[in-house]
Amino acid sequence: MSIRYTCRCCGMKIAEFDESQVSEAQLGFDSLTPDERALIISREQSGDTVVSITCDYCREALIQHPELSLVGNPLQ
């Protein structure tokens, strides 16, 4: 099983780790509140963990055009 980071805006895969190689503490998951965890971390039926964050490209676009944050998937 793996832990995969994907962009919440464009869906691009940012990184992927073998779950047996890293701990939640190493990834900083232990410092998240339960609400934060529910917001950004999900499990697929295959058992893989998906962490939804914003990639650098999308973050820059959102900084330059903040109105894009009002759209569900602004940079598909």
Side-chain angles (χ1 to χ4, degrees):
M1 288 186 263
S2 67
I3 298 173
R4 188 172 59 252
Y5 285 78
T6 60
C7 179
R8 67 176 183 83
C9 296
C10 69
M12 181 179 78
K13 183 170 90 171
I14 299 167
E16 188 167 5
F17 303 99
D18 186 340
E19 203 167 291
S20 65
Q21 301 293 323
V22 293
S23 69
E24 288 195 359
Q26 288 174 306
L27 297 174
F29 295 170
D30 60 333
S31 64
L32 298 174
T33 67
D35 288 339
E36 291 168 332
R37 287 179 73 92
L39 184 64
I40 67 169
I41 300 173
S42 63
R43 283 246 188 226
E44 293 183 330
Q45 288 185 351
S46 64
D48 291 346
T49 300
V50 178
V51 183
S52 298
I53 59 174
T54 306
C55 71
D56 291 339
Y57 173 79
C58 291
R59 184 177 53 235
E60 287 300 318
L62 289 167
I63 289 170
Q64 292 177 13
H65 303 281
E67 67 277 6
L68 291 174
S69 65
L70 300 173
V71 180
N73 290 326
L75 303 168
Q76 297 184 28

